[in-house]
């Protein structure tokens, strides 16, 4: 039995490692492409990600039978999934745009305020009140980001606003997902949800790319003639974007939601350290203290929510 248990533990550790690597890998690669490499096409990049997610989701579900295929039951359900897809697109595109202007470390610090936005949207849309203590824990979450912003040497106002927008959109999607797909007949697991959301996202992103990033395919091909690495970087980055969703689903399945939250908080901190080591962006003590305060607030928030249940 102990051999079974230890192999199970190794499997979980392997999964978490894969989840961390793919998550941080996508973040760093996006940053490298969008700001260091100078590939200034965040919408096209997101479209590549979504195309890969569409294809790989289909292979994983229809061919490899990783999870049973769930079907869309009604037009209403399709509309709900489309709405989620649009918000999801907005959050990913905004996150990618913000990486053009902000270092990964600061981007992650802002991203850590997701629980604050989630609590706000949950209250506004479902009138669901948390225990007052839970709201109190959100004070350090927000204060930390305000301190970090003040102490961020590479602060960029537009990047900051876009990044806040991305974080709010991510929170809105999770709250809406809970409301829209809550009835038993409409519940989709995250793998099936991605299978339907990704192609719809491509449909939204294609016209946006054509209008806002004209001739991006021509430019990418011209770049590829000079440096074939760009094609491999885009392909690898897009496959990795799918892998983030896949490993996220598997980690959720094999651990608890709470473990996922704790691991998620730690992941942000790991991403910050790695990105500072790789991109060597200047950081200030104030910025780091602010970020630490935010992460501390998020941990308190998870604890308070757990206690109030």
């Amino acid at each position: 039995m102990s051999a079974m248990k230890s192999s199970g533990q190794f499997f979980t550790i392997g999964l978490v490692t894969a989840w961390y690597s793919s998550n941080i890998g996508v973040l760093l690669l996006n940053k490298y492409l969008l700001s260091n490499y100078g590939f200034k096409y965040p919408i096209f990049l997101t479209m590549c990600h979504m195309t890969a997610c569409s294809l790989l989701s289909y292979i994983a579900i229809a061919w490899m039978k990783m999870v049973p295929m769930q079907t869309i039951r009604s037009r209403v359900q399709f509309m709900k999934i489309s709405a989620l897809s649009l918000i999801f697109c907005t959050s990913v595109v905004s996150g990618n745009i913000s990486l053009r202007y902000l270092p990964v470390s600061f981007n992650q610090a802002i991203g850590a305020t997701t629980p604050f936005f989630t609590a706000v949207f949950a209250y506004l849309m479902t009138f669901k009140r948390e225990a007052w203590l839970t709201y109190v824990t959100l004070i350090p979450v927000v204060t930390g980001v305000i301190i970090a912003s003040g102490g961020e040497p590479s602060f960029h106002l537009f990047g900051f606003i876009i990044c806040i927008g991305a974080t709010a959109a991510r929170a809105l999607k999770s709250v809406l997902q809970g409301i829209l797909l809550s009835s038993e007949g409409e519940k989709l697991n995250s793998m099936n949800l991605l299978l339907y959301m990704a192609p719809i996202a491509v449909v939204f992103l294609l016209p946006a790319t054509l209008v806002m990033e004209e001739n991006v395919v021509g430019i990418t091909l011209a770049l590829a003639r000079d440096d074939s690495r760009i094609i491999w970087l885009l392909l690898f980055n897009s496959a990795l974007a799918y892998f983030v969703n896949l490993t996220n689903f598997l980690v959720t399945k094999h651990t608890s939601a709470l473990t996922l939250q704790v691991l998620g908080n730690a992941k942000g901190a790991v991403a910050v350290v790695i990105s500072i080591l790789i991109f060597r962006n200047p950081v200030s003590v104030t910025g780091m203290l602010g970020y630490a305060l935010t992460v501390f607030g998020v941990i308190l928030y998870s604890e308070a929510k757990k206690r109030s249940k």
Side-chain angles (χ1 to χ4, degrees), residues 57-67 69 195:
S57 289
Y58 186 76
I59 292 169
I61 297 172
W63 290 358
M64 294 165 69
K65 307 265 187 281
M66 286 190 72
V67 287
M69 177 94 122
L195 172 71

Side-chain angles (χ1 to χ4, degrees), residues 63-119:
W63 290 358
M64 294 165 69
K65 307 265 187 281
M66 286 190 72
V67 287
M69 177 94 122
Q70 293 170 302
T71 49
I72 294 185
R73 305 281 179 84
S74 62
R75 230 178 84 186
V76 174
Q77 190 187 11
F78 176 75
M79 296 310 285
K80 288 175 177 178
I81 293 170
S82 302
L84 284 176
S85 183
L86 185 60
I87 296 166
F88 179 59
C89 276
T90 309
S91 81
V92 180
V93 170
S94 309
N96 284 341
I97 292 173
S98 77
L99 281 174
R100 273 186 62 186
Y101 303 98
L102 301 178
V104 172
S105 48
F106 189 45
N107 176 286
Q108 287 294 289
I110 300 168
T113 58
T114 307
F116 167 75
F117 290 103
T118 309

Side-chain angles (χ1 to χ4, degrees), residues 15 21 69-70 162 164 232 309:
L15 262 183
S21 319
M69 177 94 122
Q70 293 170 302
I162 290 283
I164 291 276
W232 294 110
K309 279 199 169 120

